[in-house]
C-alpha cells in the first residue's frame, strides 16, 4: 500500500510528490498527460523557469523526481475511488487496484470554450485569461476584454498596469449605467453586441466580429470562460464544493484537506479562478506536507 496516491501529475501534483518523496513516503502519481496550460507556448512568472514552455518544465520536474525511489509516476487515469482514511482504494484506467492511506486530488479543470468560431483555436495564443501570465509580453498593446459579469470591472483597473489601450466587448451582457460611466471616465470604449467569430491567422487575432456587423481589431483578448473539473471523482466521493465566478471548486481548509478526512486537493481543482503555476506549486507542496504530517505517529 502507498502512503499517498496523487491523481493528476501537473504542477500541483508533482509539487506534492516532491515533498512526499523527500520525506521518503511511498507515492504513486496517476496522470493522463493533459495539463490545462498545454495550449500555452510559454509559462511566465515561475522563478527559475520564466518564459519556458510549460511542457518542458513538467518534463524536467518528472526527471528530477526520478531520483526519489519512493515516487512512482504512472501514465493512467483514475476511474474510481473507494474506502476511507488509511485505507483508500483507487481503480486505475488499466484495471489495476491501488491502495493508499491518503489521497491528493490535483486533476485540474477544463476550460469550457464558447461556441464561437476561432475562439478555441486562438486560446492560449492571443486569447488568454491571466495578465500575470502573459501581460508583460503584450504590454502597451491594444487589449480587449470580453465582459463576463461584475468581476470584469475589477479587471479593467488591474489591466492599467500593463496597457492604456483597452476595449471592452459587452458580448450580450447588460453593463450597468454607473459602470459604463466609469469606463467612459477612463476612456475605455464599450463595444455592444455578441461576439460571433474570432478571425485569426494561426491563432493570432485579426478581428473580433460581432452580430451587429462590426469588426473590431485588438492585439490580444482577455477572456474568462467557465470551467469544470477534469474528472468527476469528487462527485462520487461527495466532497463539499464551493461556487466561484468561473465554476465550482473543491472546498479545502488551510492545510488543503477536503471535507473527507485524508483527502487533500490542490491546484485549479481547488482554486480555478487563480490559473497560476506558482499558486498551483505552492498548494501542491502544502498538500503533500499536510498529508505526510497527518500520518505521523
Amino acid at each position: 500500500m502507498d502512503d499517498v496516491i496523487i491523481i493528476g501529475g501537473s504542477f500541483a501534483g508533482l509539487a506534492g510528490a516532491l515533498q512526499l518523496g523527500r520525506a521518503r513516503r511511498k507515492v504513486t502519481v496517476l496522470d493522463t498527460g493533459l495539463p490545462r496550460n498545454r495550449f500555452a507556448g510559454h509559462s511566465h512568472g515561475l522563478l527559475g523557469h520564466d518564459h519556458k514552455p510549460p511542457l518542458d518544465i513538467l518534463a524536467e520536474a518528472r526527471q528530477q523526481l526520478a531520483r526519489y525511489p519512493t515516487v512512482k509516476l504512472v501514465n493512467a487515469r483514475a476511474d474510481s475511488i473507494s474506502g476511507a482514511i488509511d485505507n483508500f482504494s483507487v481503480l486505475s484506467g488499466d484495471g489495476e487496484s491501488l491502495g493508499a492511506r491518503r489521497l491528493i486530488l490535483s486533476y485540474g479543470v477544463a476550460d469550457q470554450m464558447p461556441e464561437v468560431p476561432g475562439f478555441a483555436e486562438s486560446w492560449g495564443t492571443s486569447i488568454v485569461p491571466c495578465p500575470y501570465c502573459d501581460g508583460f509580453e503584450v504590454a502597451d498593446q491594444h487589449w480587449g476584454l470580453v465582459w463576463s459579469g461584475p468581476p470584469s470591472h475589477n479587471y479593467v483597473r488591474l489591466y492599467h498596469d500593463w496597457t492604456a489601450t483597452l476595449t471592452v466587448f459587452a458580448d450580450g451582457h447588460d453593463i450597468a449605467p454607473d459602470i459604463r460611466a466609469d469606463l467612459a471616465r477612463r476612456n475605455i470604449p464599450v463595444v455592444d453586441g455578441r461576439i460571433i467569430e474570432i478571425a485569426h491567422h494561426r491563432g493570432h487575432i485579426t478581428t473580433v466580429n460581432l452580430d451587429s456587423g462590426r469588426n473590431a481589431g485588438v492585439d490580444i483578448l482577455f477572456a474568462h470562460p467557465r470551467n469544470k473539473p477534469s474528472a468527476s471523482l469528487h462527485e462520487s466521493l461527495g466532497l463539499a464544493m464551493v461556487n466561484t465566478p468561473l465554476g465550482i471548486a473543491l472546498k479545502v481548509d488551510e492545510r488543503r484537506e477536503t471535507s473527507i478526512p485524508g483527502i487533500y486537493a490542490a491546484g485549479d481543482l481547488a482554486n480555478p479562478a487563480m490559473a497560476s503555476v506558482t499558486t498551483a506549486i505552492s498548494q501542491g507542496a502544502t498538500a503533500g506536507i499536510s498529508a505526510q504530517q497527518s500520518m505521523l505517529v
Side-chain angles (χ1 to χ4, degrees):
M1 174 178 283
D2 285 326
D3 290 309
V4 181
I5 292 176
I6 299 175
I7 302 175
S10 188
F11 291 94
L14 295 184
L18 177 60
Q19 298 302 323
L20 288 160
R22 291 189 58 79
R24 303 194 299 176
R25 290 289 184 170
K26 189 178 179 183
V27 184
T28 294
V29 181
L30 300 178
D31 184 57
T32 59
L34 297 172
R36 183 185 185 188
N37 64 352
R38 64 189 182 276
F39 303 104
H42 298 87
S43 182
H44 300 116
L46 179 59
L47 189 65
H49 295 283
D50 189 48
H51 203 64
K52 285 185 180 180
L55 295 180
D56 289 356
I57 301 173
L58 289 173
E60 184 177 348
R62 287 190 289 267
Q63 291 173 359
Q64 291 174 353
L65 283 171
R67 68 186 289 253
Y68 298 100
T70 59
V71 177
K72 182 180 180 182
L73 305 179
V74 179
N75 181 21
R77 70 180 185 275
D79 279 349
S80 65
I81 298 173
S82 58
I85 189 169
D86 287 323
N87 190 27
F88 290 108
S89 179
V90 177
L91 182 65
S92 70
D94 56 13
E96 185 177 4
S97 182
L98 307 172
R101 297 180 61 192
R102 302 290 186 273
L103 299 175
I104 297 177
L105 306 182
S106 53
Y107 47 80
V109 300
D111 295 295
Q112 303 301 289
M113 299 294 106
E115 294 182 0
V116 174
F119 192 102
E121 293 83 354
S122 303
W123 183 250
T125 300
S126 58
I127 303 179
V128 295
C130 173
Y132 295 102
C133 303
D134 298 289
F136 182 85
E137 283 68 29
V138 292
D140 297 322
Q141 296 184 28
H142 187 174
W143 289 20
L145 169 64
V146 180
W147 200 267
S148 56
S152 296
H153 196 197
N154 293 326
Y155 298 141
V156 167
R157 295 193 289 267
L158 179 65
Y159 296 166
H160 181 72
D161 276 356
W162 286 275
T163 186
T165 308
L166 175 66
T167 295
V168 166
F169 294 91
D171 197 29
H173 289 272
D174 291 326
I175 301 177
D178 60 324
I179 295 178
R180 284 182 178 266
D182 180 67
L183 295 175
R185 180 181 63 82
R186 299 172 186 272
N187 296 316
I188 298 173
V190 176
V191 179
D192 289 306
R194 285 194 174 276
I195 298 172
I196 60 171
E197 181 187 16
I198 304 295
H200 66 96
H201 177 68
R202 296 182 178 178
H204 295 279
I205 293 174
T206 54
T207 58
V208 178
N209 301 340
L210 306 160
D211 60 2
S212 63
R214 178 177 176 180
N215 301 333
V218 295
D219 296 310
I220 192 155
L221 189 64
F222 282 78
H224 303 88
R226 290 184 65 80
N227 51 57
K228 66 178 183 179
S230 295
S232 58
L233 297 171
H234 58 283
E235 295 177 359
S236 61
L237 290 167
L239 294 174
M241 311 295 291
V242 294
N243 288 318
T244 78
L246 297 181
I248 62 170
L250 293 187
K251 184 178 181 179
V252 295
D253 62 17
E254 69 278 359
R255 299 172 58 251
R256 313 306 302 176
E257 191 168 24
T258 68
S259 58
I260 293 181
I263 301 181
Y264 300 80
D268 296 339
L269 182 62
N271 191 16
M274 183 57 74
S276 164
V277 168
T278 301
T279 302
I281 290 172
S282 173
Q283 293 179 359
T286 298
I289 291 170
S290 297
Q292 179 249 339
Q293 292 183 351
S294 74
M295 293 182 285
L296 298 179
V297 295

